[in-house]
Amino acid sequence: QVQLVESGGGLVQAGGSLRLSCAASGIFFSRNAMGWYRQAPGKQRELVARIETSGTTQYADSVKGRFTISRDNAKNTVYLQMNSLKPEDTAVYYCNADRWGVVYWGQGTQVTVSS
């Protein structure tokens, strides 16, 4: 059974920080690229950050310099450190695993930024 479980979402004020975690099971974690996506009400789901098996990372322009994606292969976990949060970061954040086009998704965790 493949399982991706996100945690760490919540309500924060603008300028605050959150650290999201995604614990994976049922996949060969180290062979999967891992990503974070988000979907805000009335908007399409968008890529926030991705980390490849090599450790190479990429970010949406809107979060560069504020968010950091990392992975711990020993713990089968990917993280998203979010700093200097803005109201426009409000969305449901989803964890994603991708191995040669075979894709799995977590259930999502809500992030709400108020000001």
Side-chain angles (χ1 to χ4, degrees), residues 36 38 43 46-49 58-68 82-91 93:
W36 287 97
R38 68 186 181 188
K43 299 182 67 176
E46 64 176 350
L47 175 67
V48 177
Q58 62 186 91
Y59 299 90
D61 287 342
S62 60
V63 308
K64 286 180 180 177
R66 300 188 297 120
F67 291 10
T68 303
M82 305 186 294
N83 298 327
S84 302
L85 283 161
K86 304 174 180 180
E88 50 263 47
D89 295 319
T90 295
Y93 284 70

Side-chain angles (χ1 to χ4, degrees), residues 17-65:
S17 297
L18 284 174
R19 179 177 166 93
L20 305 184
S21 299
C22 173
S25 61
I27 63 170
F28 200 148
F29 183 83
S30 64
R31 302 284 180 88
N32 281 260
M34 302 297 298
W36 287 97
Y37 292 71
R38 68 186 181 188
Q39 187 167 25
K43 299 182 67 176
Q44 298 298 117
R45 185 169 58 191
E46 64 176 350
L47 175 67
V48 177
R50 180 164 64 185
I51 184 165
E52 299 174 12
T53 58
S54 65
T56 300
T57 59
Q58 62 186 91
Y59 299 90
D61 287 342
S62 60
V63 308
K64 286 180 180 177

